[in-house]
Amino acid sequence: MPAPKIAPYDRPAGGWGALKNVAIQLVTQGIPLKGARTLLSANQPSGFDCPGCAWPDREHASTFEFCENGAKAVAAEATKRRVTPEFFASHTVSELLALDDYTLEGYGRLTHPMRYDAATDRYLPIAWDAAFAMIGEHLRALPDPDQAAFYTSGRTGNEAAFLYQLFVRQYGTNNFPDCSNMCHEPTSVALPPVVGLGKGTVTLEDFEQADTLLLFGQNPGTNHPRMLGELREAAKRGATIVSINLLHERGLERFADPQSPGEMLSMGGTAISGHYVTPAIGGDFAFVKGVIKHVLERDADARANGDAALLDDAFIAEHTHGFEDFAADVHTERWDDLERAAGVSRAQMCQIADVYLRGERVIATWGMGITQHKHAVATIQMIVNLMLLRGNIGRSGAGLCPVRGHSNVQGDRTVGINEKPSAAFLDRIAKVFDFAPPRREGLGVVDTISAMLAGRIKVFIGMGGNFAMATPDTPRTWAGLRQCDLTVHVATKLNRSHLVHGRDALILPCLGRTEIDMQHGTVQGVTVEDSMSMVHMSYGINAPASEHLRSEPAIVAGIAQATMGRALAGHDDWHWYVEDYDRIRDAIAATFDEFAEFNRRVRHPGGFRLPVPPSARQWRTANARANFTCHPLPAELPIDVARRQAGERGAQVLQLATIRSHDQYNTTIYGLNDRYRGVFGQRRVVFANREDLDARGLRAGERVDIVGVWHDSIARRAEDFLLVAYDIPRGSIAAYYPETNALVPLDAIADGAGTPTSKSIPVLLEQRVG
């Protein structure tokens, strides 16, 4: 492995660098030919949906419908490497726990169901029926169903997710901690009261027509690279793109499309952002409000001069509520306060406001740089306020676009994975399946961890994901998992969650998205929903990594049958649903009106779009209108409290944003490089402003510990990080997760949403001695 180094990257995102790294991944996984063939079926009508991000698919005029990071996900799943019973026989859990996450993932695909044996500290093989029986025994032994929690990763398809929630609700709980609790929960909370739906309002066709795009808190070059294709096309036709993001990201600056011979031969690329704004951590709310303040001031000046109004008066009058109160609230804000809170000058806020005013068709997008903050819900609603001013919701080329991460994280929620289900949904479940589902709210991720620590959760079942590493406050999460009587993980590959286990523990290996799912002699497809509410079919093409694997729906049915027996109304055997996934989709259609004729519609090329009423200016809010919302600037931010608590060191407190490297997806580490940020062969780095380093007597190249500052006095420390001087706002630093998740306090959450505030954690830097 090459020696670690820091070497600035001056090429565009994509291009030859992306193609080279795709090839490296295929060779590394031992599948140069198989991997290439597999990638040609990614995001194709008769192929599989990429197990990576949730960016929607284009009409398939090209057989090249994958990106670099999607290729990494596919290569990791189609790998030649295997984690067999012999592997577990030669490694104790304690030995494996000492390895880093990159090494653990690199061992390859799980091949057999395994049970933890405390006497030998090893995982031993177990038959599927015995594993299901063990789970059933534990669940039936609980005096209260709420003592179990059922986690879901966004990779899970609609069929498994629906069957999962149906079983769990019949079992008697709504404890559905879900990966969306940690990412776009503020979106799901913020949007329904103001536009009537917790999803985006745009389609890819809107991106083709937009003349202005406002990109908030996201890094598509790493997290959803196929989006760069849309941004490139928009830039080439003259659309104005504004990036509002903590770091200057290569993909938001320049992109070379690997499918463009001209850009590949010229070693050039297309400039993406016409404007780049870097608010301080947590400053997006004040920045957007400052932009709105200038828009309102310019509109008032225009009217006073007898010029045409700059707001869409007709839209505001016909479709919205609360404008007068909202405008009055904005007028009370002082520019000095907005500048201080945003970390952005008034001049730049006014400049972006003028860009917005020139736009006739504006799209606003956002990612976790917006959602993982204390005031995330207010920030999203402030973005909506901005868009409502000129009627930029519900018409062609304009709208809201939350860019969700994992492939089916939106779909899982749509089909019922929700710890706070609506009464209407529960009524429908009761009617269709003839049982009384529980009505009390369940636990999300943060509350589940607290309940485990308090001994109230005894059984934890994870449908995919890497719960131990994705969650905040790592040592406390681990302590909670270890207090469980049983932990169960459905997975394709070994990860750290399998090693941080309860007194009993199971690893249940499942089919991957790329693999053929054969049930009763018939190939089955699963469905997924993308970020733009399109639902389509996914068929694996590769032979399963092991003959002992089972599909996620089959695993859910096995657990349900062993736990509930022949108790499901209408069909005595849960396995009946798995014989033909059309039966599950029929059950989904019976439960949700928007899925009517599911099986017919999903087989149409490209699938179908679920109803998005705001796209047609239909507002399913309490007052049947889109609502302006008032949010004053917070009187005090968490960083202010932390600086007081730090006493004499208060001036030294910085705000940490946890980020992904380019060689990872969520908690999965594909390599040790972060090419676009110039980091190679290492992950324990912290990006800091050079002036902040000078003020603390630190220098780039030195090593530091990152120390948490929080009101609970719990010691939180992430050790041995290399300082990298970087273009980042003063007072802000950034470092990769999951290495820094230990610094995120369990109660550092978004107001009203409960999402960990992983993008704004108060910390100190301490120089390492020796």
Side-chain angles (χ1 to χ4, degrees):
M1 183 178 294
K5 65 177 181 179
I6 303 296
Y9 189 83
D10 57 4
R11 302 172 196 168
W16 291 108
L19 290 182
K20 175 183 176 182
N21 278 274
V22 168
I24 289 172
Q25 287 294 321
L26 298 182
V27 171
T28 299
Q29 299 297 340
I31 52 167
L33 296 180
K34 174 188 175 184
R37 289 194 300 269
T38 302
L39 286 172
L40 292 179
S41 291
N43 303 312
Q44 297 296 323
S46 59
F48 61 90
D49 192 80
C50 177
C53 79
W55 190 252
D57 300 340
R58 272 275 169 207
E59 290 298 324
H60 297 283
S62 168
T63 57
F64 189 175
E65 290 289 341
F66 59 88
C67 65
E68 177 187 347
N69 277 10
K72 292 173 184 174
V74 169
E77 184 170 290
T79 182
K80 188 177 181 180
R81 301 172 180 178
R82 300 289 183 266
V83 178
T84 63
E86 291 73 23
F87 170 89
F88 285 111
S90 61
H91 297 85
T92 67
V93 167
S94 298
E95 291 168 352
L96 292 171
L97 192 59
L99 302 176
D100 61 67
D101 296 277
Y102 173 56
T103 301
L104 290 174
E105 293 277 353
Y107 283 122
R109 292 290 302 277
L110 296 159
T111 63
H112 292 68
M114 307 294 292
R115 175 186 178 178
Y116 179 68
D117 176 61
T120 60
D121 190 31
R122 284 175 168 82
Y123 273 99
L124 305 178
I126 184 173
W128 276 106
D129 286 347
F132 293 145
M134 179 178 169
I135 298 169
E137 289 169 6
H138 272 277
L139 290 175
R140 289 194 304 275
L142 295 179
D144 183 348
D146 285 338
Q147 290 183 343
F150 299 83
Y151 178 70
T152 318
S153 158
R155 202 209 69 150
T156 305
N158 289 325
E159 291 72 19
F162 180 80
L163 210 60
Y164 193 43
Q165 66 82 30
L166 190 63
F167 148 59
V168 172
R169 290 196 161 100
Q170 192 190 18
Y171 172 67
T173 184
N174 286 314
N175 285 347
F176 285 109
D178 176 52
C179 62
S180 59
N181 294 145
M182 295 182 282
C183 55
H184 267 281
E185 192 71 36
T187 298
S188 300
V189 170
L191 292 184
V194 294
V195 298
L197 185 71
K199 302 180 183 182
T201 67
V202 300
T203 64
L204 286 181
E205 288 69 28
D206 290 315
F207 272 80
E208 294 175 353
Q209 300 172 47
D211 59 33
T212 305
L213 294 105
L214 307 177
L215 315 180
F216 291 95
Q218 61 179 134
N219 175 21
T222 289
N223 299 333
H224 25 265
R226 283 191 297 143
M227 182 181 179
L228 291 181
E230 307 303 326
L231 299 182
R232 173 182 174 272
E233 290 302 315
K236 288 177 76 68
R237 69 167 186 274
T240 301
I241 299 175
V242 181
S243 294
I244 305 102
N245 194 58
L246 177 68
L247 300 175
H248 280 267
E249 301 289 9
R250 179 63 60 199
L252 291 172
E253 295 175 329
R254 182 169 290 274
F255 171 61
D257 186 350
Q259 296 192 69
S260 168
E263 290 185 348
M264 296 299 282
L265 291 173
S266 68
M267 306 291 286
T270 300
I272 300 298
S273 299
H275 302 271
Y276 214 119
V277 183
T278 53
I281 286 178
D284 298 271
F285 171 83
F287 168 78
V288 179
K289 199 165 189 181
V291 169
I292 290 171
K293 184 174 177 68
H294 184 67
V295 168
L296 294 178
E297 289 175 349
R298 276 205 55 195
D299 176 70
D301 290 343
R303 294 173 195 265
N305 293 330
D307 296 331
L310 300 180
L311 306 186
D312 189 334
D313 289 342
F315 173 82
I316 291 172
E318 182 180 353
H319 289 282
T320 75
H321 173 264
F323 171 73
E324 290 79 9
D325 290 343
F326 167 70
D329 172 72
V330 173
H331 285 309
T332 64
E333 299 288 8
R334 298 172 60 249
W335 276 111
D336 287 351
D337 294 333
L338 290 168
E339 286 183 307
R340 185 164 45 253
V344 177
S345 70
R346 175 179 179 178
Q348 193 168 27
M349 286 188 267
C350 293
Q351 178 191 42
I352 302 308
D354 289 339
V355 169
Y356 175 73
L357 284 168
R358 289 193 293 270
E360 296 296 328
R361 298 174 303 281
V362 183
I363 291 175
T365 79
W366 64 91
M368 287 191 290
I370 293 296
T371 63
Q372 291 183 327
H373 292 277
K374 178 175 174 59
H375 303 291
V377 171
T379 303
I380 293 165
Q381 291 183 340
M382 199 59 63
I383 293 171
V384 174
N385 289 334
L386 174 65
M387 299 293 279
L388 290 176
L389 291 175
R390 286 171 55 82
N392 276 306
I393 303 177
R395 57 187 175 87
S396 297
L400 307 173
C401 183
V403 183
R404 298 180 191 263
H406 219 155
S407 170
N408 196 45
V409 64
Q410 185 163 303
D412 287 350
R413 272 298 174 89
T414 298
V415 300
I417 300 296
N418 192 333
E419 77 279 11
K420 298 176 181 179
S422 70
F425 168 67
L426 295 177
D427 289 344
R428 193 65 170 264
I429 287 287
K431 179 180 179 181
V432 173
F433 297 99
D434 194 25
F435 73 90
R439 298 281 169 164
R440 58 197 174 278
E441 287 188 359
L443 302 178
V445 165
V446 169
D447 288 337
T448 292
I449 297 169
S450 296
M452 286 193 296
L453 284 168
R456 297 196 305 273
I457 294 294
K458 301 295 186 181
V459 174
F460 176 89
I461 299 177
M463 186 61 59
N466 186 356
F467 189 85
M469 297 308 294
T471 44
D473 230 341
T474 307
R476 299 180 74 195
T477 295
W478 288 18
L481 286 167
R482 286 170 169 151
Q483 285 187 200
C484 292
D485 292 335
L486 173 68
T487 53
V488 180
H489 293 281
V490 178
T492 58
K493 301 182 73 180
L494 181 67
N495 66 47
R496 194 165 301 280
S497 291
H498 309 149
L499 312 175
V500 183
H501 53 79
R503 283 175 278 277
D504 280 332
L506 291 167
I507 302 173
L508 304 181
C510 66
L511 294 171
R513 188 76 63 76
T514 62
E515 292 171 320
I516 297 169
D517 183 350
M518 185 77 71
Q519 304 291 338
H520 283 254
T522 302
V523 174
Q524 304 293 323
V526 299
T527 60
V528 297
E529 179 186 347
D530 64 34
S531 276
M532 295 181 186
S533 301
M534 290 295 298
V535 179
H536 52 274
M537 194 77 83
S538 175
Y539 289 97
I541 65 162
N542 289 335
S546 164
E547 63 181 345
H548 303 285
L549 304 184
R550 294 199 180 182
S551 72
E552 287 181 314
I555 293 172
V556 172
I559 296 173
Q561 191 70 25
T563 304
M564 307 303 299
R566 302 168 65 84
L568 184 64
H571 300 288
D572 291 337
D573 192 338
W574 286 87
H575 295 99
W576 178 86
Y577 283 98
V578 183
E579 293 174 5
D580 182 348
Y581 294 175
D582 279 1
R583 296 170 179 174
I584 307 176
R585 289 186 281 271
D586 284 340
I588 294 173
T591 307
F592 302 97
D593 292 340
E594 56 266 41
F595 281 95
E597 298 186 81
F598 191 178
N599 279 305
R600 179 187 63 81
R601 294 162 68 206
V602 80
R603 286 178 168 85
H604 183 274
F608 65 95
R609 192 181 192 213
L610 292 169
V612 182
S615 296
R617 294 187 169 176
Q618 298 171 7
W619 318 105
R620 295 184 180 176
T621 59
N623 58 6
R625 284 179 171 252
N627 288 292
F628 285 94
T629 47
C630 296
H631 295 287
L633 277 180
E636 191 171 54
L637 295 172
I639 186 67
D640 301 318
V641 177
R643 284 173 174 153
R644 279 204 316 274
Q645 291 169 341
E648 294 181 356
R649 301 185 68 187
Q652 303 296 309
V653 176
L654 298 162
Q655 287 201 97
L656 167 70
T658 69
I659 59 175
R660 294 175 182 167
S661 80
H662 192 61
D663 268 358
Q664 76 178 96
Y665 193 78
N666 294 338
T667 58
T668 301
I669 312 301
Y670 299 124
L672 300 179
N673 298 335
D674 191 4
R675 186 169 79 251
Y676 296 152
R677 299 190 185 109
V679 177
F680 299 89
Q682 57 193 321
R683 288 185 52 83
R684 300 188 80 82
V685 300
V686 55
F687 301 100
N689 185 291
R690 191 177 296 277
E691 293 181 25
D692 280 332
L693 296 182
D694 291 342
R696 288 157 178 77
L698 299 170
R699 293 180 300 171
E702 293 181 334
R703 304 199 77 86
V704 297
D705 293 344
I706 312 174
V707 181
V709 180
W710 200 245
H711 62 79
D712 57 13
S713 300
I714 294 175
R716 295 181 176 89
R717 179 180 292 264
E719 297 182 333
D720 196 17
F721 283 72
L722 177 73
L723 287 173
V724 177
Y726 209 77
D727 184 6
I728 187 172
R730 288 290 307 270
S732 304
I733 62 173
Y736 306 131
Y737 73 84
E739 290 85 348
T740 51
N741 281 357
L743 299 166
V744 183
L746 200 58
D747 64 343
I749 56 176
D751 291 343
T755 301
T757 59
S758 302
K759 295 289 186 288
S760 50
I761 299 302
V763 296
L764 293 164
L765 298 180
E766 291 186 357
Q767 189 173 29
R768 288 182 67 81
V769 178

